[in-house]
Amino acid sequence: MNPIRECLSRLLIDFERIRNSHEELFDSEVREQAGNALMTAFVRRTRDYDIPPALGIFSDAGNALLRSAIVQFVDCAIPICDAERIGGFHERLKLLQDGEVRTECGNDYDEFIGHTPPDWYDSDGNVLWDRVR
């Protein structure tokens, strides 16, 4: 079982709620920026990383909602991973990309942030460019 399942579920519900008033949440730019923020803050767990205030939503209020949802997820998931001693890049990516966690509307992580192929990265989260091309 995914130990951060509740954190991820809350994140997806928040994303869906934001999408109801900010349809651009499904735009590729927003999905990419939200996904990058989650990859950097949670999966790579980059120290001193501050999630940007602008994530591609057309309004400051929408960006603030999206940023808040991501911050809440990171603040929820990191202590659980620490307690469970889940520290590896691939382990965290697998938890974030849990396709079994869905909203009531049936949306999973891929709808909101896209899918990141794990085999494109080494164990430290560095891109293996020969696999990406």
Side-chain angles (χ1 to χ4, degrees):
M1 174 138 169
N2 185 340
I4 66 161
R5 183 180 187 92
E6 288 183 33
C7 304
L8 182 58
S9 178
R10 190 172 330 131
L11 175 69
L12 299 180
I13 290 167
D14 286 347
F15 279 174
E16 202 163 77
R17 189 187 81 242
I18 294 165
R19 188 219 43 215
N20 289 338
S21 57
H22 301 279
E23 290 181 15
E24 67 272 20
L25 186 70
F26 281 143
D27 290 355
S28 58
E29 179 183 342
V30 178
R31 291 178 56 187
E32 184 176 330
Q33 289 190 47
N36 287 342
L38 287 162
M39 284 287 288
T40 304
F42 173 68
V43 179
R44 285 192 177 97
R45 197 164 176 198
T46 304
R47 305 277 184 220
D48 300 323
Y49 174 72
D50 191 23
I51 296 165
L55 294 162
I57 299 282
F58 298 153
S59 70
D60 290 342
N63 279 307
L65 288 171
L66 183 55
R67 184 181 187 281
S68 177
I70 293 169
V71 167
Q72 287 177 27
F73 168 79
V74 171
D75 288 348
C76 176
I78 284 179
I80 293 169
C81 286
D82 287 349
E84 298 280 329
R85 295 198 167 134
I86 301 169
F89 174 86
H90 289 103
E91 293 172 295
R92 286 176 185 252
L93 181 60
K94 183 177 179 179
L95 295 178
L96 178 63
Q97 296 188 153
D98 183 344
E100 292 183 12
V101 179
R102 295 181 174 273
T103 65
E104 287 184 12
C105 293
N107 293 314
D108 67 2
Y109 74 91
D110 192 27
E111 296 293 324
F112 299 107
I113 61 171
H115 178 75
T116 300
D119 60 338
W120 286 8
Y121 298 86
D122 68 15
S123 61
D124 293 322
N126 299 307
V127 176
L128 299 169
W129 290 106
D130 60 321
R131 295 185 186 178
V132 174
R133 295 181 185 154

